[in-house]
Amino acid sequence: MALWNGSSANDLIDWSTRPLDGTGDTGHSMNGFGGDDQIIGSNTLSNIIDGGTGNDRVTGGNVADILLGGDGNDTLIGNGGNDNLTGGIGNDILDGGAGGDVMRGNQGNDEYQIRISNAGIDIAADDLSAANVTGFGGGTADTIRVLDSTGATLMLFQNGNDLLVTNAADVSDGFIDSGVAIYNFFLGGNNVVEFAIGSDGNGYDLTTLLSPSPMARAAQPDASADYAPVSFDGHEVLQLQALPLQHEDLLL
């Protein structure tokens, strides 16, 4: 595996077209260490990239990458492939790109960016470390931002302890094929992502699903009504209705 280590300064490194260092290498490993770094991994080979401390921008390629933000307010972009993104401490932006990605924001108010037009289900697991250990979440304004759907088209479904966020176009055939699953959302605590927002800035306060007020309970779909069932992973899931987002909530 080709290796690159940065410095304590603000490093800029682009290995998007760098070949392998030797026979038997299968990917690149890169570490920014300190500073506000911009690191771009290989387009065609697997990358393991750690931004280190500082406010870093880390970009993967079109295969399965492992991207780590470290301390600081980082931006992690997976691009293609089934990527693993972990923000670490700070207010991070995580965009897995195409593929079924696992994104872990951890401490801070993190933003998970998704596109329903990208086939597959991403996972937002705010409380899990890169090693899938619990106890690393936090923040009071974590957000799912759906970049290709308005807030009015977003739809919410419960799948066990997970909350699924998708849109009306995806469920029009009765199946959920794209979107994001907020892992263990209904267990509460640091698993919770507080908001789901569309491209127009409108959306939902997801916390109203956990301790619903009378207004929130009244907003839930009528269980006795005749509605088209929606399935995910081979079974029917329950549609939910959170209260609309109040924009002052985002000023927390």
Side-chain angles (χ1 to χ4, degrees):
M1 178 169 282
L3 303 176
W4 173 83
N5 289 324
S7 67
S8 59
N10 299 334
D11 299 308
L12 172 60
I13 181 71
D14 182 350
W15 274 18
S16 56
T17 60
R18 180 185 173 90
L20 294 173
D21 276 358
T23 302
D25 287 344
T26 57
H28 295 329
S29 177
M30 311 166 77
N31 194 317
F33 291 111
D36 299 338
D37 306 310
Q38 298 184 53
I39 307 174
I40 302 173
S42 171
N43 284 334
T44 57
L45 303 168
S46 294
N47 302 285
I48 301 175
I49 307 176
D50 186 345
T53 58
N55 302 324
D56 307 307
R57 183 179 180 88
V58 177
T59 304
N62 294 316
V63 291
D65 302 308
I66 297 174
L67 307 181
L68 309 171
D71 292 357
N73 301 328
D74 306 305
T75 298
L76 308 180
I77 302 172
N79 285 322
N82 299 330
D83 306 305
N84 277 269
L85 282 60
T86 304
I89 297 173
N91 302 328
D92 305 307
I93 296 174
L94 301 94
D95 181 347
D101 307 301
V102 179
M103 301 181 287
R104 308 169 182 87
N106 295 165
Q107 297 96 326
N109 295 327
D110 305 306
E111 180 172 301
Y112 299 88
Q113 297 185 349
I114 70 162
R115 299 164 186 81
I116 306 297
S117 56
N118 287 337
I121 300 293
D122 292 331
I123 297 174
D126 203 64
D127 194 46
L128 294 184
S129 71
N132 288 328
V133 177
T134 61
F136 286 80
T140 58
D142 294 317
T143 302
I144 301 291
R145 187 174 297 274
V146 185
L147 300 176
D148 61 356
S149 306
T150 62
T153 67
L154 300 184
M155 299 185 73
L156 309 173
F157 295 86
Q158 184 171 359
N159 180 47
N161 289 325
D162 299 344
L163 177 64
L164 299 172
V165 181
T166 185
N167 66 10
D170 182 62
V171 304
S172 61
D173 62 353
F175 298 93
I176 297 175
D177 302 303
S178 299
V180 61
I182 305 177
Y183 179 73
N184 277 346
F185 175 88
F186 289 100
L187 296 184
N190 288 332
N191 299 293
V192 173
V193 174
E194 283 77 13
F195 308 115
I197 302 175
S199 57
D200 58 354
N202 296 315
Y204 296 102
D205 179 351
L206 302 180
T207 65
T208 60
L209 297 173
L210 295 173
S211 299
S213 64
M215 185 181 299
R217 284 194 290 270
Q220 296 305 316
D222 184 354
S224 64
D226 184 17
Y227 67 95
V230 174
S231 295
F232 173 73
D233 198 26
H235 58 270
E236 188 172 341
V237 289
L238 175 67
Q239 183 180 352
L240 301 174
Q241 183 68 51
L243 291 183
L245 175 72
Q246 303 299 314
H247 287 279
E248 55 268 25
D249 292 336
L250 298 180
L251 302 178
L252 294 173

